[in-house]
Every structure is written in structure tokens, then in C-alpha cells.
Amino acid sequence: MEVLAIIGSPRGKSNTYKAVRLVEKEMKNFGDVNLEYILLNEIDLKTCKGCFNCLRIGEERCPLKDAQIEIEEKMISSDGIIFASPTYVMNVSWLFKNFLDRFAYICHRPRLFNQSALVLTTVGSYGAKTTLEYMANAVTTWGCRSIIKLPLTVPPVGGKEEIVDQDIETLEKTSKQFYNDLVNKDILSPKFSSLVQFRLQKAIFTEAGAKIDFPKDYEYYTTKISSNYYVNANVNPIKNAVAWIVEKFLMRKISS
């Protein structure tokens, strides 16, 4: 299995990188796993300019020419992705935030439906929960079929930087859970929140005005998706019916 690890530490091979290496070691106890590492402090991924081109007219129209396309291709071809960032002031590092910003178009046009995701953060004391919630919410909108969270405490005291003992056990259990997620991939069955996201985006981006304001999204939702979800999936009819009700309610709120 091919797993891509994207490390957002400005320190490169830091506590966060070392933590992912421990995850790799644990996963290899269960089977054949190959990890490829992308260190965001080493790769050419320029700072997002907020020009809106990727959202409106397509990611290929981004004026920044760097490793963006290469990274996306690696994410799509992987079986799973580890998204890892240290916690800085109760959030991700600026490198990881820029990474998310550069792929904002995937929030509009999801495409990582075959990938399981592990979101990992290392933290000195507190703030891991909010960081992982932010990371999980972001990659959920990209279409990842499952999200597993792994917070690890690495206190910067005593001249050592080591994961606390109780978190080592969590790391071992979570690594096994992530491995099992990669192995046991059933037919995609979207969560209720993902169904609401899909129905709401489809409703917004297939309106007449979207053809002008968001032509790339209009094209995506009118020509490139299935009727019940972004891709062929096992859509629960009851969840889908409730999601339809929520969609109608939210669209009325937006229109009023």
C-alpha cells in the first residue's frame, strides 16, 4: 500500500516528522506499507496569492508554477495520506495552512474519495484538539473516505523532546486502526455531513449565476458527477432524504 505523508513543520525533520516515522514503523508490523514523505519546508510550494483563479476558472490557471500539480497527483495516486503539522498557537503551522490554501479548489471540487486520512499533530502542552478539528474539517471537504485523528504531546522541557508515555500507546493503537482502514475499503458510504455538503454545493453551483461566477464549479457539477454523490457510492436513502430537507432549508436561508 502506498501512503503519502505531508509534513508541515518549519523545522523539517522535527518532532512531527519523527512521530510519523513511528507511525510508519508500527504500520509495517502489520503488512507491506510504503511511505513517501513530502516536507513542506523543502518543497517548492509558493505562498497563495488569493487570486481566486483556482476556484473560479480552474486550478490549472493558478499563476504560481511550482510543485502543486505534482503533490496533487501523489495524493490522488496514494491509498492513504498522513497530514501532519505541529500545533502552533492552537492551530497548524503557517506552512501547513498555506498547503491547505493552495488546494482550496478541492473543497469546491472534491476528488480524494479513495483515500483514508490520518491527521496528526504534535503539541507542547495544549491546543491539539482544535488543531486536529481544523485539519479534519479541511480534508473532509476534499472527499477523504475516513479521517483518523492522532494528537501527540511532546513537552519541550528537561532538555529532551520525547512523546509522553501514555501517547505512545495511543500512537500504536491509532497506527493499527489506520492500517486496517487502508486494507478494509468497502464501497464508499458517505457520512450525513458529506451528503449535505454535496447537495448544497450542487444546488449552489448549478444555478444560472454560477455559470458566470464559478464556471469551473458549474462544469464540474453539471457534467462530471453522479446523481446522488460526487462519485458512485452507497448512498443511504434515509440520510439522503434528510440531507435533501437540510439542503432546501439552507438554500432558503441563503436566498433570503
Side-chain angles (χ1 to χ4, degrees), residues 179-199:
Y179 176 85
N180 289 337
D181 243 28
L182 296 175
V183 172
N184 303 316
K185 287 188 176 180
D186 298 323
I187 297 174
L188 179 63
S189 182
K191 296 179 180 179
F192 176 72
S193 58
S194 297
L195 286 174
V196 172
Q197 174 189 321
F198 164 73
R199 297 197 65 93

PDB file of all heavy atoms in Angstrom, residues 179-199:
ATOM      1  N   TYR A 179      -3.974   1.465   9.491  1.00  0.00           N
ATOM      2  CA  TYR A 179      -3.617   0.364   8.600  1.00  0.00           C
ATOM      3  C   TYR A 179      -4.865  -0.423   8.207  1.00  0.00           C
ATOM      4  O   TYR A 179      -5.073  -0.738   7.032  1.00  0.00           O
ATOM      5  CB  TYR A 179      -2.595  -0.550   9.264  1.00  0.00           C
ATOM      6  CG  TYR A 179      -2.254  -1.758   8.424  1.00  0.00           C
ATOM      7  CD1 TYR A 179      -1.277  -1.689   7.447  1.00  0.00           C
ATOM      8  CD2 TYR A 179      -2.938  -2.964   8.602  1.00  0.00           C
ATOM      9  CE1 TYR A 179      -0.979  -2.792   6.651  1.00  0.00           C
ATOM     10  CE2 TYR A 179      -2.651  -4.064   7.813  1.00  0.00           C
ATOM     11  CZ  TYR A 179      -1.670  -3.970   6.845  1.00  0.00           C
ATOM     12  OH  TYR A 179      -1.386  -5.058   6.051  1.00  0.00           O
ATOM     13  N   ASN A 180      -5.692  -0.761   9.184  1.00  0.00           N
ATOM     14  CA  ASN A 180      -6.920  -1.526   8.907  1.00  0.00           C
ATOM     15  C   ASN A 180      -7.857  -0.750   7.993  1.00  0.00           C
ATOM     16  O   ASN A 180      -8.546  -1.338   7.148  1.00  0.00           O
ATOM     17  CB  ASN A 180      -7.630  -1.871  10.213  1.00  0.00           C
ATOM     18  CG  ASN A 180      -6.894  -2.928  11.019  1.00  0.00           C
ATOM     19  OD1 ASN A 180      -6.116  -3.707  10.460  1.00  0.00           O
ATOM     20  ND2 ASN A 180      -7.106  -2.950  12.324  1.00  0.00           N
ATOM     21  N   ASP A 181      -7.873   0.566   8.156  1.00  0.00           N
ATOM     22  CA  ASP A 181      -8.697   1.410   7.283  1.00  0.00           C
ATOM     23  C   ASP A 181      -8.227   1.309   5.834  1.00  0.00           C
ATOM     24  O   ASP A 181      -9.035   1.307   4.906  1.00  0.00           O
ATOM     25  CB  ASP A 181      -8.605   2.865   7.753  1.00  0.00           C
ATOM     26  CG  ASP A 181      -9.945   3.406   8.206  1.00  0.00           C
ATOM     27  OD1 ASP A 181     -10.777   2.600   8.661  1.00  0.00           O
ATOM     28  OD2 ASP A 181     -10.163   4.619   8.097  1.00  0.00           O
ATOM     29  N   LEU A 182      -6.913   1.243   5.653  1.00  0.00           N
ATOM     30  CA  LEU A 182      -6.359   1.155   4.302  1.00  0.00           C
ATOM     31  C   LEU A 182      -6.665  -0.199   3.661  1.00  0.00           C
ATOM     32  O   LEU A 182      -6.896  -0.282   2.459  1.00  0.00           O
ATOM     33  CB  LEU A 182      -4.840   1.366   4.348  1.00  0.00           C
ATOM     34  CG  LEU A 182      -4.339   2.730   4.814  1.00  0.00           C
ATOM     35  CD1 LEU A 182      -2.819   2.728   4.918  1.00  0.00           C
ATOM     36  CD2 LEU A 182      -4.788   3.832   3.867  1.00  0.00           C
ATOM     37  N   VAL A 183      -6.652  -1.231   4.483  1.00  0.00           N
ATOM     38  CA  VAL A 183      -6.852  -2.586   3.970  1.00  0.00           C
ATOM     39  C   VAL A 183      -8.321  -2.867   3.682  1.00  0.00           C
ATOM     40  O   VAL A 183      -8.681  -3.459   2.658  1.00  0.00           O
ATOM     41  CB  VAL A 183      -6.310  -3.619   4.986  1.00  0.00           C
ATOM     42  CG1 VAL A 183      -6.686  -5.036   4.552  1.00  0.00           C
ATOM     43  CG2 VAL A 183      -4.809  -3.482   5.125  1.00  0.00           C
ATOM     44  N   ASN A 184      -9.190  -2.456   4.603  1.00  0.00           N
ATOM     45  CA  ASN A 184     -10.614  -2.813   4.527  1.00  0.00           C
ATOM     46  C   ASN A 184     -11.439  -1.677   3.932  1.00  0.00           C
ATOM     47  O   ASN A 184     -12.149  -0.969   4.639  1.00  0.00           O
ATOM     48  CB  ASN A 184     -11.132  -3.169   5.924  1.00  0.00           C
ATOM     49  CG  ASN A 184     -10.344  -4.302   6.549  1.00  0.00           C
ATOM     50  OD1 ASN A 184     -10.055  -5.297   5.892  1.00  0.00           O
ATOM     51  ND2 ASN A 184      -9.986  -4.154   7.810  1.00  0.00           N
ATOM     52  N   LYS A 185     -11.320  -1.513   2.640  1.00  0.00           N
ATOM     53  CA  LYS A 185     -12.062  -0.450   1.961  1.00  0.00           C
ATOM     54  C   LYS A 185     -13.305  -1.040   1.298  1.00  0.00           C
ATOM     55  O   LYS A 185     -13.216  -1.697   0.263  1.00  0.00           O
ATOM     56  CB  LYS A 185     -11.183   0.261   0.929  1.00  0.00           C
ATOM     57  CG  LYS A 185     -10.134   1.167   1.554  1.00  0.00           C
ATOM     58  CD  LYS A 185      -9.423   2.005   0.517  1.00  0.00           C
ATOM     59  CE  LYS A 185      -8.453   2.973   1.166  1.00  0.00           C
ATOM     60  NZ  LYS A 185      -7.736   3.808   0.179  1.00  0.00           N
ATOM     61  N   ASP A 186     -14.449  -0.785   1.922  1.00  0.00           N
ATOM     62  CA  ASP A 186     -15.709  -1.210   1.337  1.00  0.00           C
ATOM     63  C   ASP A 186     -16.170  -0.171   0.323  1.00  0.00           C
ATOM     64  O   ASP A 186     -15.504   0.849   0.100  1.00  0.00           O
ATOM     65  CB  ASP A 186     -16.766  -1.375   2.441  1.00  0.00           C
ATOM     66  CG  ASP A 186     -16.379  -2.454   3.448  1.00  0.00           C
ATOM     67  OD1 ASP A 186     -15.808  -3.462   3.016  1.00  0.00           O
ATOM     68  OD2 ASP A 186     -16.639  -2.251   4.646  1.00  0.00           O
ATOM     69  N   ILE A 187     -17.319  -0.418  -0.286  1.00  0.00           N
ATOM     70  CA  ILE A 187     -17.906   0.577  -1.179  1.00  0.00           C
ATOM     71  C   ILE A 187     -18.121   1.864  -0.393  1.00  0.00           C
ATOM     72  O   ILE A 187     -18.601   1.843   0.743  1.00  0.00           O
ATOM     73  CB  ILE A 187     -19.243   0.066  -1.755  1.00  0.00           C
ATOM     74  CG1 ILE A 187     -19.003  -1.186  -2.595  1.00  0.00           C
ATOM     75  CG2 ILE A 187     -19.920   1.156  -2.589  1.00  0.00           C
ATOM     76  CD1 ILE A 187     -20.277  -1.837  -3.084  1.00  0.00           C
ATOM     77  N   LEU A 188     -17.745   2.967  -0.963  1.00  0.00           N
ATOM     78  CA  LEU A 188     -17.844   4.262  -0.283  1.00  0.00           C
ATOM     79  C   LEU A 188     -19.278   4.515   0.173  1.00  0.00           C
ATOM     80  O   LEU A 188     -20.222   4.432  -0.604  1.00  0.00           O
ATOM     81  CB  LEU A 188     -17.397   5.376  -1.233  1.00  0.00           C
ATOM     82  CG  LEU A 188     -17.455   6.801  -0.678  1.00  0.00           C
ATOM     83  CD1 LEU A 188     -16.518   6.958   0.510  1.00  0.00           C
ATOM     84  CD2 LEU A 188     -17.094   7.808  -1.773  1.00  0.00           C
ATOM     85  N   SER A 189     -19.427   4.818   1.457  1.00  0.00           N
ATOM     86  CA  SER A 189     -20.737   5.138   2.020  1.00  0.00           C
ATOM     87  C   SER A 189     -20.627   6.487   2.722  1.00  0.00           C
ATOM     88  O   SER A 189     -20.116   6.568   3.842  1.00  0.00           O
ATOM     89  CB  SER A 189     -21.181   4.051   3.010  1.00  0.00           C
ATOM     90  OG  SER A 189     -22.462   4.338   3.521  1.00  0.00           O
ATOM     91  N   PRO A 190     -21.061   7.561   2.082  1.00  0.00           N
ATOM     92  CA  PRO A 190     -20.849   8.908   2.613  1.00  0.00           C
ATOM     93  C   PRO A 190     -21.549   9.147   3.951  1.00  0.00           C
ATOM     94  O   PRO A 190     -22.650   8.644   4.193  1.00  0.00           O
ATOM     95  CB  PRO A 190     -21.455   9.816   1.529  1.00  0.00           C
ATOM     96  CG  PRO A 190     -21.588   8.961   0.326  1.00  0.00           C
ATOM     97  CD  PRO A 190     -21.775   7.568   0.803  1.00  0.00           C
ATOM     98  N   LYS A 191     -20.881   9.918   4.810  1.00  0.00           N
ATOM     99  CA  LYS A 191     -21.500  10.349   6.056  1.00  0.00           C
ATOM    100  C   LYS A 191     -22.580  11.386   5.747  1.00  0.00           C
ATOM    101  O   LYS A 191     -22.595  12.001   4.677  1.00  0.00           O
ATOM    102  CB  LYS A 191     -20.449  10.957   6.988  1.00  0.00           C
ATOM    103  CG  LYS A 191     -19.389   9.977   7.446  1.00  0.00           C
ATOM    104  CD  LYS A 191     -18.386  10.661   8.350  1.00  0.00           C
ATOM    105  CE  LYS A 191     -17.315   9.685   8.823  1.00  0.00           C
ATOM    106  NZ  LYS A 191     -16.311  10.349   9.684  1.00  0.00           N
ATOM    107  N   PHE A 192     -23.460  11.593   6.712  1.00  0.00           N
ATOM    108  CA  PHE A 192     -24.550  12.550   6.528  1.00  0.00           C
ATOM    109  C   PHE A 192     -24.013  13.944   6.219  1.00  0.00           C
ATOM    110  O   PHE A 192     -24.521  14.634   5.326  1.00  0.00           O
ATOM    111  CB  PHE A 192     -25.431  12.586   7.777  1.00  0.00           C
ATOM    112  CG  PHE A 192     -26.523  13.621   7.722  1.00  0.00           C
ATOM    113  CD1 PHE A 192     -27.616  13.459   6.885  1.00  0.00           C
ATOM    114  CD2 PHE A 192     -26.448  14.770   8.494  1.00  0.00           C
ATOM    115  CE1 PHE A 192     -28.615  14.417   6.819  1.00  0.00           C
ATOM    116  CE2 PHE A 192     -27.436  15.729   8.437  1.00  0.00           C
ATOM    117  CZ  PHE A 192     -28.525  15.556   7.602  1.00  0.00           C
ATOM    118  N   SER A 193     -22.983  14.371   6.957  1.00  0.00           N
ATOM    119  CA  SER A 193     -22.419  15.709   6.734  1.00  0.00           C
ATOM    120  C   SER A 193     -21.871  15.851   5.318  1.00  0.00           C
ATOM    121  O   SER A 193     -21.974  16.918   4.701  1.00  0.00           O
ATOM    122  CB  SER A 193     -21.320  16.000   7.757  1.00  0.00           C
ATOM    123  OG  SER A 193     -20.285  15.028   7.682  1.00  0.00           O
ATOM    124  N   SER A 194     -21.295  14.761   4.786  1.00  0.00           N
ATOM    125  CA  SER A 194     -20.769  14.799   3.416  1.00  0.00           C
ATOM    126  C   SER A 194     -21.897  14.872   2.392  1.00  0.00           C
ATOM    127  O   SER A 194     -21.764  15.544   1.360  1.00  0.00           O
ATOM    128  CB  SER A 194     -19.911  13.558   3.153  1.00  0.00           C
ATOM    129  OG  SER A 194     -18.782  13.535   3.992  1.00  0.00           O
ATOM    130  N   LEU A 195     -23.010  14.210   2.682  1.00  0.00           N
ATOM    131  CA  LEU A 195     -24.175  14.290   1.793  1.00  0.00           C
ATOM    132  C   LEU A 195     -24.734  15.707   1.759  1.00  0.00           C
ATOM    133  O   LEU A 195     -25.101  16.217   0.698  1.00  0.00           O
ATOM    134  CB  LEU A 195     -25.256  13.315   2.248  1.00  0.00           C
ATOM    135  CG  LEU A 195     -25.005  11.827   1.975  1.00  0.00           C
ATOM    136  CD1 LEU A 195     -26.107  10.995   2.614  1.00  0.00           C
ATOM    137  CD2 LEU A 195     -24.937  11.562   0.479  1.00  0.00           C
ATOM    138  N   VAL A 196     -24.801  16.345   2.929  1.00  0.00           N
ATOM    139  CA  VAL A 196     -25.289  17.729   2.989  1.00  0.00           C
ATOM    140  C   VAL A 196     -24.359  18.634   2.199  1.00  0.00           C
ATOM    141  O   VAL A 196     -24.804  19.493   1.429  1.00  0.00           O
ATOM    142  CB  VAL A 196     -25.407  18.202   4.446  1.00  0.00           C
ATOM    143  CG1 VAL A 196     -25.716  19.694   4.496  1.00  0.00           C
ATOM    144  CG2 VAL A 196     -26.497  17.431   5.177  1.00  0.00           C
ATOM    145  N   GLN A 197     -23.034  18.455   2.396  1.00  0.00           N
ATOM    146  CA  GLN A 197     -22.065  19.248   1.651  1.00  0.00           C
ATOM    147  C   GLN A 197     -22.280  19.090   0.151  1.00  0.00           C
ATOM    148  O   GLN A 197     -22.319  20.080  -0.595  1.00  0.00           O
ATOM    149  CB  GLN A 197     -20.638  18.831   2.009  1.00  0.00           C
ATOM    150  CG  GLN A 197     -19.559  19.514   1.147  1.00  0.00           C
ATOM    151  CD  GLN A 197     -18.187  18.919   1.367  1.00  0.00           C
ATOM    152  OE1 GLN A 197     -17.818  18.582   2.482  1.00  0.00           O
ATOM    153  NE2 GLN A 197     -17.409  18.777   0.294  1.00  0.00           N
ATOM    154  N   PHE A 198     -22.411  17.826  -0.293  1.00  0.00           N
ATOM    155  CA  PHE A 198     -22.600  17.559  -1.717  1.00  0.00           C
ATOM    156  C   PHE A 198     -23.862  18.231  -2.256  1.00  0.00           C
ATOM    157  O   PHE A 198     -23.829  18.927  -3.275  1.00  0.00           O
ATOM    158  CB  PHE A 198     -22.668  16.055  -1.964  1.00  0.00           C
ATOM    159  CG  PHE A 198     -23.235  15.696  -3.311  1.00  0.00           C
ATOM    160  CD1 PHE A 198     -22.496  15.886  -4.458  1.00  0.00           C
ATOM    161  CD2 PHE A 198     -24.529  15.197  -3.425  1.00  0.00           C
ATOM    162  CE1 PHE A 198     -23.019  15.580  -5.708  1.00  0.00           C
ATOM    163  CE2 PHE A 198     -25.055  14.886  -4.665  1.00  0.00           C
ATOM    164  CZ  PHE A 198     -24.302  15.076  -5.813  1.00  0.00           C
ATOM    165  N   ARG A 199     -24.978  18.023  -1.573  1.00  0.00           N
ATOM    166  CA  ARG A 199     -26.246  18.539  -2.075  1.00  0.00           C
ATOM    167  C   ARG A 199     -26.243  20.066  -2.099  1.00  0.00           C
ATOM    168  O   ARG A 199     -26.762  20.689  -3.035  1.00  0.00           O
ATOM    169  CB  ARG A 199     -27.399  18.014  -1.228  1.00  0.00           C
ATOM    170  CG  ARG A 199     -27.576  16.497  -1.262  1.00  0.00           C
ATOM    171  CD  ARG A 199     -28.947  16.104  -0.743  1.00  0.00           C
ATOM    172  NE  ARG A 199     -29.968  16.608  -1.647  1.00  0.00           N
ATOM    173  CZ  ARG A 199     -30.489  15.905  -2.655  1.00  0.00           C
ATOM    174  NH1 ARG A 199     -30.089  14.673  -2.871  1.00  0.00           N
ATOM    175  NH2 ARG A 199     -31.406  16.432  -3.432  1.00  0.00           N
TER     176      ARG A 199
END
